[in-house]
Amino acid sequence: MHVTIDGDYDVCLELRAERSTQGPPLVSQCVTEDLADLVEETHTRGVLADVLPADGRDLEAAVRPVWADRPLIRHFEITVTVQTAQGPRSFTQQCAGGRWVRRAEALRLAMIAEGTLAEDAAAYRVLVAVPRRGPAVLDGLPIEAPPIVDETLEEYGVRVLGAGSLVPSRPVLVNRRMVADMTERTERSGVTETGGAVLGKLLRLPEPLPGTSTRVVTVVAAGLADERHEGAPSSFRFSPEALVEAAQIARLRGHGESVLTAWHSHGWGTDCARCNQSACPLPTVDQLSLDDYKVLESLFPSKATLMPIAGRSPGSQSRRPAVAIHHWCGGTMRPLRWQEYDE
């Protein structure tokens, strides 16, 4: 794949004690390679939106910075173009985040740990374009589309759609029994985080569902618990061995499923029963940690990956845990609307 960066420069991440760019930064790191993630995500989102073909071979990507005050970069505009027999097809998105955001937080925490930055000191994140030294690092970037199966919902066992709603360009259906299981296990585990593997598949329907613009639907079918996954207050570790066995179970189920992702909880206060209505030290379902991103980027690197999280949802009228499903959007994981279904 050929990637064009608009300008002969690399991108540097800087952490600064002040918003001003006067004087030396606290730390500076080249992050041009992080743009590869944005190109891959843009391609994946274009395929899932049914704009780009999944079997495209001749791909090009353009990475254009949107300047705050040159050479400072506010965000990027990414366009992926695929040549087809009917002509070129393109998909564009704005990306305000990326791996450099997680790098910046990791660098800040490392500086605090080593004593070179006070815990309450400011460390502002800045992206700067600097003259390139050597060839562009993104030439020849490998890109693969997520595996999508041509199948109807009925053939897969989806019978009735229930509560919730769909995003037109990224419809997601979740088995109601799985939602109930996630909620129950989160309540039962309390402040100890819990979770497990998630089975499902990506379907290309003959026609889009009502209110949607793409035929590609992600169906989240089942969650698999395993004692080898280890939970504790404010942390959860997935067992690679258990995930491998989950893939074997998926094959035995005979539905052509795979391990799409994994879910985990962010804890639940079983004693107060007011987690959604009061201040609480437990993280919410909308808060992703560096560890959450590490799981995604190491165990489930596809940008089609979803991350279901169960736990607190401040402002909700329910006295039970909520379930949020996050997807890649503009270089970061964001909550996504979804709809339940019954088998």
Side-chain angles (χ1 to χ4, degrees):
M1 180 180 193
H2 179 66
V3 179
T4 301
I5 298 179
D6 184 16
D8 190 22
Y9 63 84
D10 282 318
V11 179
C12 273
L13 164 70
E14 295 182 351
L15 289 185
R16 291 183 167 273
E18 298 179 357
R19 294 187 184 276
S20 168
T21 56
Q22 300 299 315
L26 299 171
V27 64
S28 179
Q29 187 177 101
C30 181
V31 295
T32 307
E33 63 181 20
D34 291 352
L35 299 178
D37 257 13
L38 304 184
V39 172
E40 183 179 2
E41 182 199 312
T42 304
H43 175 260
T44 297
R45 291 192 67 196
V47 170
L48 296 176
D50 216 12
V51 174
L52 300 180
D55 58 352
R57 294 291 184 268
D58 188 8
L59 288 80
E60 292 188 354
V63 180
R64 186 180 71 84
V66 178
W67 303 102
D69 184 12
R70 197 165 183 159
L72 301 183
I73 301 170
R74 178 179 290 116
H75 60 266
F76 293 95
E77 181 180 273
I78 314 293
T79 299
V80 173
T81 302
V82 179
Q83 300 296 331
T84 72
Q86 293 73 38
R89 298 170 67 177
S90 298
F91 185 85
T92 299
Q93 72 165 343
Q94 306 290 322
C95 298
R99 284 196 177 185
W100 64 83
V101 176
R102 276 91 72 193
R103 290 182 190 272
E105 179 62 10
L107 287 169
R108 187 186 71 84
L109 293 174
M111 294 171 68
I112 291 173
E114 67 188 15
T116 56
L117 183 70
E119 191 165 355
D120 60 349
Y124 296 103
R125 185 180 69 246
V126 178
L127 281 185
V128 182
V130 298
R132 178 178 297 149
R133 298 176 181 177
V137 299
L138 298 184
D139 284 346
L141 180 68
I143 290 288
E144 292 186 9
I148 302 171
V149 179
D150 290 306
E151 188 175 358
T152 68
L153 293 179
E154 291 76 13
E155 288 171 333
Y156 187 34
V158 176
R159 301 305 175 197
V160 180
L161 300 187
S165 63
L166 301 176
V167 172
S169 62
R170 184 69 164 102
V172 173
L173 299 175
V174 185
N175 193 321
R176 184 174 62 85
R177 288 197 297 177
M178 180 181 168
V179 176
D181 179 62
M182 292 168 62
T183 302
E184 182 179 323
R185 286 174 56 195
T186 298
E187 284 182 316
R188 189 168 62 244
S189 298
V191 297
T192 297
E193 296 191 3
T194 186
V198 173
L199 307 185
K201 61 200 298 189
L202 278 70
L203 307 181
R204 182 182 289 104
L205 308 179
E207 297 292 338
L209 291 172
T212 69
S213 57
T214 175
R215 294 184 298 145
V216 181
V217 177
T218 304
V219 183
V220 179
L224 299 180
D226 194 301
E227 293 182 356
R228 286 171 290 184
H229 301 308
E230 298 177 4
S234 300
S235 70
F236 191 77
R237 190 187 74 83
F238 290 99
S239 163
E241 295 81 9
L243 293 176
V244 169
E245 289 195 14
Q248 296 171 347
I249 292 173
R251 287 192 290 272
L252 290 174
R253 280 165 57 95
H255 301 306
E257 298 164 331
S258 63
V259 178
L260 286 183
T261 184
W263 79 274
H264 71 290
S265 68
H266 275 177
W268 182 256
T270 54
D271 294 332
C272 70
R274 294 191 300 115
C275 269
N276 291 338
Q277 287 81 38
S278 62
C280 176
L282 295 173
T284 72
V285 293
D286 292 337
Q287 293 174 300
L288 270 70
S289 67
L290 290 180
D291 286 342
D292 292 336
Y293 278 103
K294 189 179 297 183
V295 167
L296 286 167
E297 293 172 336
S298 60
L299 298 179
F300 304 101
S302 169
K303 297 305 176 182
T305 299
L306 304 170
M307 173 160 273
I309 298 177
R312 298 194 323 112
S313 181
S316 170
Q317 298 305 308
S318 174
R319 290 184 173 271
R320 304 197 70 195
V323 174
I325 295 183
H326 301 259
H327 73 133
W328 286 105
C329 183
T332 189
M333 293 293 285
R334 300 183 184 278
L336 176 72
R337 298 198 315 273
W338 49 278
Q339 190 167 5
E340 291 184 357
Y341 76 88
D342 286 305
E343 297 175 297

